[in-house]
Amino acid sequence: MTLSVTWPQALAWRLERQLVDPIGNLPALEIVRRLGGVQAQVASCAELAIQLRQRTPARNEVAGALSDGSLIKTWGMRGTLHLFAADEAGSYLALLAAGRSWETPAWQRFFGLSPAKIEGLREVVRDVLDGRVLTREEVNAQIVKTRGYEHLAAELKSGWGTLFKPLAWQGDICFGPGRGTRVTFARPEQISSSWQPLPSADEAARPVFLRYFESYGPATPTHVRRWLARGRVSVKQQRAWFATVADEVTKVDVDGEEMYVRSEDVDALAASKGTDSVRLLGGFDEWVLGPGTDDPHVISPNRRAAVSRAAGWIAPIVLVGGVVRGTWRQDADRVAIDWFSESGKPPSAKLGSEVERLGALFGRRLTAELAVVRL
């Protein structure tokens, strides 16, 4: 018999799995592992995402984990920068590499690179970085000095790193320690003793899919594909990968929707109860990136534009029971909260407590300023 649960139950269970409610106390490495990576396009947002999931956050913990190689920073899901547990990063990268997005005719035409030229670029970069940590400018200078790659000079200056993503997904390059305000690149196996060679995509699918259902379930295979690649992986590939975990997940009914969780989590999900907990989470948080900002159970379609903004910016959010009920921003010593009017009366006391928690993290006294925003 299929388990039936409500969305409030499902979201409460997900809050617990993601260490949002109740707040956990795992080290940064284990939080990143639990979430299947933490988006780090904005480094401060990645650190905040981790600290808000800890009862007793430690300062500079992320920097320390990057320094000792237990965490690694590279291009990951959806082509964005992520922190990964170094010993697991290869599994996520292997699935992204399997999409072979750089072999599409459009990609080749735009960059003037054939698949053979990309393989050549891999060799150039691996050789340039062998035993060295170099700035973007230093790596770029070596590339454009190589015959056949002179035309890439302008594109290599882009901060988006599009040409480096195929290399990152094949384990050739990752971010190294910063050099002042400049980013650096390195070979992952040379800056992390925890790094593991990339498995085959079929081997990687099982742990990645199970991790997703563990932390973002109940969910569908389509959720996993969108979270992972947003079109860079075919539906056919996704179905084959889901088949690797089909005997380890169980179908559940969530208010009439057919979804899946790990079989070992069914009893915990059934016992879950809805919650009215209030949490402030930062920008680019995995709570919304995991299911996607188009998931109507987390963000009302009428409010998606308030969260998912221009140029890919994801706003800091106010959660009540796992549903986005507003956004917030910090302005000096003030936290300005935009409460969505359709969410009812703002829980002022709980919001104040969350602002105090932010203040403790930021090392300054913060005051809350509440505004009700109508559609």
Side-chain angles (χ1 to χ4, degrees):
M1 182 177 177
T2 301
L3 171 67
S4 294
V5 296
T6 65
W7 270 109
Q9 281 180 279
L11 292 176
W13 181 78
R14 194 184 292 175
L15 286 167
E16 185 274 330
R17 294 307 305 156
Q18 292 191 28
L19 309 170
V20 176
D21 181 48
I23 299 167
N25 206 33
L26 295 177
L29 171 63
E30 296 308 320
I31 293 173
V32 172
R33 194 187 303 279
R34 172 74 67 88
L35 296 175
V38 170
Q39 185 160 320
Q41 207 78 19
V42 178
S44 59
C45 289
E47 187 165 14
L48 183 59
I50 291 166
Q51 291 179 325
L52 286 173
R53 288 168 166 84
Q54 295 175 311
R55 290 193 299 275
T56 54
R59 293 192 180 277
N60 301 316
E61 188 182 10
V62 170
L66 286 168
S67 179
D68 68 25
S70 55
L71 284 180
I72 204 163
K73 182 177 179 180
T74 190
W75 285 281
M77 280 74 79
R78 306 173 303 280
T80 60
L81 292 177
H82 274 70
L83 299 177
F84 291 106
D87 58 354
E88 293 184 343
S91 292
Y92 296 92
L93 301 178
L95 296 189
L96 290 161
R100 312 293 293 183
S101 57
W102 58 92
E103 294 182 355
T104 62
W107 202 98
Q108 293 178 54
R109 285 194 301 271
F110 185 84
F111 291 108
L113 292 175
S114 65
K117 280 287 188 181
I118 281 289
E119 287 302 305
L121 181 61
R122 292 183 64 193
E123 294 178 12
V124 170
V125 171
R126 286 184 62 82
D127 183 61
V128 165
L129 290 176
D130 191 15
R132 294 188 286 180
V133 176
L134 301 177
T135 66
R136 183 192 300 271
E137 293 78 10
E138 289 167 339
V139 174
N140 292 351
Q142 293 299 315
I143 292 172
V144 298
K145 283 168 53 177
T146 305
R147 184 176 180 181
Y149 300 100
E150 302 91 340
H151 68 289
L152 299 177
E155 185 57 40
L156 283 168
K157 293 178 182 178
S158 168
W160 294 106
T162 306
L163 282 167
F164 290 133
K165 292 176 187 179
L167 281 61
W169 294 336
Q170 295 176 87
D172 299 321
I173 189 172
C174 69
F175 281 68
R179 191 185 298 175
T181 60
R182 296 182 177 183
V183 301
T184 67
F185 296 128
R187 285 171 52 168
E189 75 276 12
Q190 293 182 351
I191 65 165
S192 172
S193 61
S194 300
W195 174 262
Q196 298 295 316
L198 268 64
S200 70
D202 289 342
E203 291 173 319
R206 179 180 172 277
V208 171
F209 271 60
L210 287 177
R211 180 59 52 77
Y212 187 88
F213 287 115
E214 174 189 8
S215 295
Y216 299 95
T220 68
T222 299
H223 282 112
V224 189
R225 182 169 65 90
R226 290 176 177 172
W227 162 77
L228 181 69
R230 281 285 177 186
R232 293 180 177 86
V233 172
S234 71
V235 173
K236 182 179 179 180
Q237 283 178 313
Q238 169 251 302
R239 288 173 179 165
W241 292 341
F242 178 66
T244 67
V245 300
D247 61 346
E248 297 183 68
V249 296
T250 295
K251 188 184 301 182
V252 296
D253 177 288
V254 187
D255 280 337
E257 295 183 56
E258 184 180 286
M259 311 191 93
Y260 294 88
V261 293
R262 295 188 310 171
S263 299
E264 63 188 271
D265 294 326
V266 170
D267 290 345
L269 175 61
S272 178
K273 300 184 186 302
T275 176
D276 61 357
S277 66
V278 174
R279 291 284 183 262
L280 299 186
L281 296 179
F284 299 94
D285 196 88
E286 297 302 321
W287 181 260
V288 294
L289 294 175
T293 59
D294 53 355
D295 188 322
H297 305 294
V298 175
I299 303 174
S300 167
N302 291 331
R303 293 297 190 175
R304 185 184 181 195
V307 177
S308 184
R309 300 178 179 174
W313 185 264
I314 305 298
I317 53 173
V318 180
L319 292 184
V320 179
V323 179
V324 176
R325 299 298 188 186
T327 61
W328 64 273
R329 62 192 180 278
Q330 183 188 358
D331 181 9
D333 293 335
R334 178 178 66 106
V335 174
I337 297 171
D338 289 337
W339 178 262
F340 299 157
S341 60
E342 66 276 16
S343 300
K345 183 179 179 180
S348 300
K350 292 182 178 180
L351 289 170
S353 295
E354 283 294 286
V355 170
E356 287 182 15
R357 192 158 73 99
L358 284 176
L361 285 178
F362 298 156
R364 61 201 305 181
R365 186 177 182 276
L366 299 176
T367 59
E369 182 176 290
L370 183 64
V372 176
V373 180
R374 301 188 183 280
L375 284 170

